[in-house]
Amino acid sequence: MSLVAGPVETGALDRRSGDDELVAARLVPRRRPGQWISAAIALVAVAALLRSVFTNPHFQWDVVRYFFLRPSILDGLLLTLWLTAAVVISGYLLGIVVAVMRLSGNPVLSTVSFAFTWFFRSVPPLVQLLLWFNLASLYPTLSFGIPFLPPFGSVHTAHLFTALLAAYVGLTLDVAAFSGEIVRGGLLSVEHGQTEAAKSLGLGKGRIFRRIVLPQAMPAIVPASGNMVIGMLKATSIISMLGADDLLHKAQLIYGQNYLIIPLLLVATIWYIILTTILSIGQYFVERYYARGKGEQRESLWRVARGNLPFAGLRRRDLAALS
């Protein structure tokens, strides 16, 4: 059986009357009234919100300006920054150890690492802080030495765990549990074949990790780590429950005396927004640095901002596209 092509019908390709008018017709964008209506509703809602924020006298912006740079607030801010940095650095160092233990071929170390991660990821940070702060009720004395033998030394815990130390220990263990999984996931994202290929070239383990594994793992580690740092900055506010003099607790102490609750809470809120914005910008540059070898287009910070805030960069032709 064979197929034979018949004569091509050229009549369908002939120009018909009215084709020239269609070609010369002005192109009119598709009408999208729903976009105009939804955009108008959103703008009205935003305008109403901004008007209420800046005209409502109960916000007391003059009080906010007065307390924004007061020494007591700045002292609390400094403690918040110090605790965030100390917890993140210590937690990540411990988290790297946890990740290495989990990836090791030693079943004991891998099991201990899994149990550590499972426990501290399961307990809320505030509960951990309260447990460490009240450790003296459970262990009045901590002894150091070999089990079943006389201790080398001991220390009373009644006055050992202050609010700040309890916060540091509790939050560090919490960060270690999560960062260990982040690091482990980043290392596992690198194909094992690349390590085998590097070994076949005679490279040592340290050089393979530094030159091949780590640069490819960092793009997977950095975004999650950045989110964790920002989350930890905000999570430090829970230490105000223990009476530590962080930013929020300083604001609480002040409004406990003058009863200006909302303005002092706004002071703390604005500082947290400023700090998280700075950290987000830093995260952007770190991600950009480690993505330089992936061949992706490196967008400027302004282009990223326009991508997330498209209304800020709307031009006349963009508005015309909505019609």
Side-chain angles (χ1 to χ4, degrees):
M1 180 179 178
S2 62
L3 297 176
V4 179
V8 178
E9 297 180 359
T10 57
L13 300 178
D14 294 339
R15 186 177 297 275
R16 299 175 181 175
S17 62
D19 287 353
D20 294 337
E21 296 179 359
L22 290 175
V23 172
R26 185 173 65 90
L27 295 177
V28 178
R30 181 184 176 186
R31 303 295 181 183
R32 296 185 177 91
Q35 289 197 11
W36 278 104
I37 296 173
S38 59
I41 294 173
L43 287 176
V44 170
V46 171
L49 177 63
L50 292 177
R51 181 179 180 277
S52 67
V53 168
F54 290 104
T55 60
N56 188 344
H58 298 292
F59 280 98
Q60 296 179 280
W61 291 109
D62 55 335
V63 179
V64 173
R65 286 194 297 271
Y66 176 77
F67 283 104
F68 191 69
L69 295 176
R70 300 299 295 174
S72 57
I73 294 293
L74 296 181
D75 289 342
L77 177 67
L78 186 62
L79 179 64
T80 296
L81 292 174
W82 176 86
L83 183 62
T84 302
V87 163
V88 169
I89 294 173
S90 304
Y92 261 85
L93 291 177
L94 184 58
I96 292 172
V97 175
V98 171
V100 172
M101 290 172 60
R102 186 75 183 277
L103 293 174
S104 71
N106 189 320
V108 176
L109 295 181
S110 181
T111 303
V112 170
S113 172
F114 170 78
F116 175 88
T117 304
W118 165 76
F119 179 78
F120 286 104
R121 283 204 312 177
S122 303
V123 182
L126 180 58
V127 177
Q128 293 186 45
L129 266 61
L130 292 174
L131 286 173
W132 285 108
F133 189 58
N134 295 282
L135 185 66
S137 301
L138 189 60
Y139 294 103
T141 303
L142 288 179
S143 300
F144 305 96
I146 301 174
F148 310 111
L149 293 177
F152 300 142
S154 61
V155 60
H156 297 287
T157 58
H159 303 289
L160 177 63
F161 275 87
T162 61
L164 189 58
L165 181 60
Y168 171 74
V169 174
L171 294 178
T172 297
L173 294 175
D174 188 71
V175 169
F178 283 93
S179 63
E181 288 299 287
I182 293 174
V183 174
R184 187 175 71 91
L187 296 178
L188 289 177
S189 66
V190 182
E191 294 184 3
H192 187 66
Q194 299 194 32
T195 303
E196 296 296 330
K199 286 181 180 178
S200 66
L201 295 175
L203 299 181
K205 290 185 178 179
R207 195 172 182 184
I208 292 174
F209 179 79
R210 191 174 62 255
R211 294 288 188 178
I212 296 175
V213 176
L214 188 61
Q216 297 183 73
M218 288 304 288
I221 294 174
V222 170
S225 300
N227 290 332
M228 171 166 284
V229 173
I230 292 174
M232 185 50 56
L233 172 69
K234 296 185 295 183
T236 55
S237 62
I238 65 175
I239 69 173
S240 62
M241 299 288 293
L242 305 180
D245 292 331
D246 73 316
L247 175 61
L248 179 60
H249 190 248
K250 286 289 188 179
Q252 289 175 328
L253 289 178
I254 296 175
Y255 74 63
Q257 297 175 353
N258 56 21
Y259 302 105
L260 298 172
I261 299 175
I262 296 299
L264 269 302
L265 289 179
L266 286 175
V267 170
T269 301
I270 294 172
W271 271 120
Y272 280 120
I273 291 174
I274 293 174
L275 295 177
T276 54
T277 303
I278 295 173
L279 289 176
S280 299
I281 295 174
Q283 178 185 353
Y284 161 76
F285 283 108
V286 174
E287 289 183 15
R288 184 180 177 185
Y289 174 80
Y290 282 105
R292 67 190 190 283
K294 301 181 68 174
E296 298 178 354
Q297 185 179 2
R298 299 175 63 179
E299 295 183 339
S300 64
L301 185 60
W302 168 242
R303 289 177 64 89
V304 174
R306 279 196 56 187
N308 290 280
L309 298 170
F311 182 75
L314 278 182
R315 289 169 293 189
R316 189 171 180 178
R317 64 183 181 185
D318 300 321
L319 291 173
L322 292 175
S323 61

